[in-house]
């Protein structure tokens, strides 16, 4: 299995940027497709981005297209989410997740989860 630890969250003003990281340990990182999820206060956890095992394919939720970029460094066992032009609606706990089956779309079903990192965007 794989263990996931997120970092990089914080408080930022609207229009600002943050870069989230997710460090993976355990089995070979490149064996897993990866995703980022957001859970806003009082709401369900929803997928915002996904990336294939090779990093060659990426998928985004409509509200973050053009603002967020998901990437991975398989040599460093690390997943990233670059978030630009943040808006208050981006506020929530961000989770990274791993799945053994590769992704061909913005997936919801993952096998492993991190503990989450808080992102707060003030207006």
């Amino acid at each position: 299995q794989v263990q996931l630890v997120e970092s990089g969250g914080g408080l930022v003003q609207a229009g600002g940027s943050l870069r989230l990281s997710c460090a993976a340990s355990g089995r070979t990182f490149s064996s897993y497709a990866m995703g980022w999820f957001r859970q806003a206060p009082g709401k369900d956890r929803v997928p915002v981005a996904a990336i294939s095992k090779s990093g060659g394919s990426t998928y985004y939720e409509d509200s973050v297209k053009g603002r967020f970029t998901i990437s991975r460094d398989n040599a460093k066992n690390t997943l990233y989410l670059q978030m630009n032009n943040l808006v208050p609606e981006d506020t929530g706990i961000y989770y990274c997740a791993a799945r053994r089956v590769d992704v061909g779309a913005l997936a919801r079903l993952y096998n492993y989860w991190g503990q989450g990192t808080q992102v707060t965007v003030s207006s």
Side-chain angles (χ1 to χ4, degrees):
Q1 62 181 34
V2 63
Q3 292 78 40
L4 304 171
V5 179
E6 302 94 337
S7 61
L11 173 64
V12 63
Q13 289 188 333
S17 297
L18 283 174
R19 189 193 196 199
L20 305 184
S21 298
C22 173
S25 60
R27 291 192 63 185
T28 307
F29 181 62
S30 60
S31 299
Y32 297 93
M34 302 295 296
W36 286 100
F37 284 69
R38 176 179 64 233
Q39 187 166 22
K43 296 188 177 181
D44 292 336
R45 187 163 55 187
V46 297
V48 296
I51 188 167
S52 62
K53 293 181 181 181
S54 69
S57 297
T58 57
Y59 308 91
Y60 297 95
E61 191 267 331
D62 285 345
S63 71
V64 308
K65 286 180 180 177
R67 301 188 298 118
F68 289 12
T69 302
I70 187 172
S71 62
R72 65 190 297 162
D73 186 336
N74 285 345
K76 295 183 177 180
N77 292 348
T78 304
L79 175 73
Y80 303 100
L81 185 68
Q82 178 67 44
M83 306 187 293
N84 298 329
N85 194 20
L86 285 159
V87 298
E89 291 73 23
D90 295 323
T91 294
I93 301 173
Y94 282 73
Y95 299 88
C96 71
R99 55 184 266 161
R100 291 184 289 268
V101 177
D102 214 346
V103 290
L106 193 63
R108 288 181 173 269
L109 298 179
Y110 284 77
N111 303 107
Y112 305 103
W113 296 84
Q115 84 290 348
T117 186
Q118 177 71 47
V119 171
T120 303
V121 184
S122 63
S123 58

